[in-house]
Amino acid sequence: MRILVISGLSGSGKSTAVRVLEDEGFFCIDNLPVQLFPTIIDLVRKAEEKVPGVALVMDIRGRDFLKGYERVFQEIRQAGNTIEIIFFDATDDVLIRRFSETRRRHPALESGSVPEGIRFERDQLADLRRQATLVIDTSELNVHQFKELFTAKIKGESGPRRMTVHFQSFGYRYGIPLESDLVVDVRFLPNPHFIPELKPFTGLDLSVRTFVLEKPETEEFFKRFTDLLDFLIPSYRREGKSYLTVSVGCTGGRHRSVAIVEELCRFFEGKGFAVKSTHRDVEKG
């Protein structure tokens, strides 16, 4: 289990880093008293639900952390653990601008200006920065670039991570799924519901899929729609989206939408995309 200590200058991106770690399955705790670090690590390790690691966020807000972290870190290491210290930084002018945009006071000083708070914080965290396993300067990064970079660092990737595309079938009579990012209506396709020998089956059955997919209008639709997704998916990923839900709807969610979703999954899996499928209404009447 990995043990990460997240620290750095206020306004440098620690909150965003925590959201990335939570998405990756880490157990994250913000501003925990340093004396409780070993206890939390032990509890997480013994928990039934296994996680890839625990991330402990500590910074200038926890003054006892600055006084006692070296002793506690030594105790954790003596128990056979490795601690990764990830320190986030940014230039003074960028930090000042970020505080100005959020209209927050600097947490390092009860009174005083933001520049004074930044100088004080730099001085207090200097020793921890020198010990950091990884220092990330976020001055020139927007939030999407930051998430992409940090995720790659955490996962040890040299390239960009894959985005998961969730293809979901549904029936319009039961409503559009609220979690949809993209919705496409395939009610214009020939309906197997009106073919007596096909009506009892679903788009998961070969006979229904063959009926739907072999129609000329389906072939034309599928080509145009996959071309659109080929363009959209990388664009969404560049903007920091890690999970895209594409909902395909027909009248009842049993025949046409199911067949199309199955074919979309097959098509994009073959191109190396991370995909998953669900059929929300396939078992309904």
Side-chain angles (χ1 to χ4, degrees), residues 130-155:
R130 283 190 285 269
Q131 297 181 43
T133 312
L134 174 67
V135 176
I136 298 178
D137 190 317
T138 66
S139 302
E140 302 298 323
L141 302 176
N142 64 36
V143 66
H144 305 307
Q145 294 168 333
F146 172 66
K147 287 180 178 179
E148 187 79 11
L149 172 66
F150 186 51
T151 301
K153 295 288 186 184
I154 290 299
K155 299 176 75 171

Side-chain angles (χ1 to χ4, degrees), residues 24-223:
E24 295 298 325
F26 279 74
F27 184 79
C28 303
I29 302 180
D30 188 13
N31 206 20
L32 183 76
V34 67
Q35 295 83 0
L36 296 179
F37 277 22
T39 302
I40 288 297
I41 292 167
D42 190 49
L43 288 174
V44 173
R45 178 171 282 115
K46 292 177 180 178
E48 292 184 6
E49 182 180 354
K50 299 303 178 185
V51 296
V54 57
L56 305 166
V57 184
M58 296 305 306
D59 50 38
I60 196 68
R61 294 169 298 164
R63 301 301 170 88
D64 64 325
F65 168 69
L66 296 174
K67 297 175 183 176
Y69 73 86
E70 291 187 353
R71 176 184 54 79
V72 174
F73 285 4
Q74 183 63 22
E75 178 184 341
I76 294 170
R77 291 181 176 119
Q78 287 176 346
N81 302 298
T82 299
I83 300 176
E84 300 173 56
I85 302 172
I86 302 178
F87 192 95
F88 293 94
D89 204 345
T91 60
D92 286 7
D93 59 328
V94 168
L95 294 173
I96 291 170
R97 186 181 72 242
R98 290 175 182 172
F99 272 97
S100 175
E101 290 171 351
T102 60
R103 299 182 180 181
R104 293 171 50 217
R105 69 173 181 83
H106 198 283
L109 296 176
E110 290 294 330
S111 59
S113 67
V114 168
E116 290 172 336
I118 293 171
R119 287 194 295 270
F120 177 78
E121 188 174 34
R122 282 197 187 282
D123 179 67
Q124 294 294 303
L125 297 177
D127 286 339
L128 184 63
R129 191 185 193 279
R130 283 190 285 269
Q131 297 181 43
T133 312
L134 174 67
V135 176
I136 298 178
D137 190 317
T138 66
S139 302
E140 302 298 323
L141 302 176
N142 64 36
V143 66
H144 305 307
Q145 294 168 333
F146 172 66
K147 287 180 178 179
E148 187 79 11
L149 172 66
F150 186 51
T151 301
K153 295 288 186 184
I154 290 299
K155 299 176 75 171
E157 298 173 350
S158 56
R161 60 175 170 162
R162 292 200 300 173
M163 181 175 70
T164 298
V165 185
H166 173 208
F167 292 105
Q168 174 177 226
S169 68
F170 72 96
Y172 273 92
R173 68 169 55 141
Y174 305 111
I176 296 174
L178 296 178
E179 69 275 19
S180 304
D181 294 302
L182 297 172
V183 177
V184 61
D185 184 349
V186 297
R187 288 177 291 183
F188 66 92
L189 297 176
N191 193 348
H193 176 81
F194 298 111
I195 310 298
E197 60 269 27
L198 297 179
K199 181 178 178 180
F201 299 102
T202 73
L204 297 173
D205 295 291
L206 180 60
S207 58
V208 173
R209 290 178 64 184
T210 300
F211 175 87
V212 173
L213 297 174
E214 288 187 350
K215 293 292 185 287
E217 51 265 66
T218 304
E219 293 178 359
E220 180 69 17
F221 159 76
F222 195 84
K223 181 182 184 307

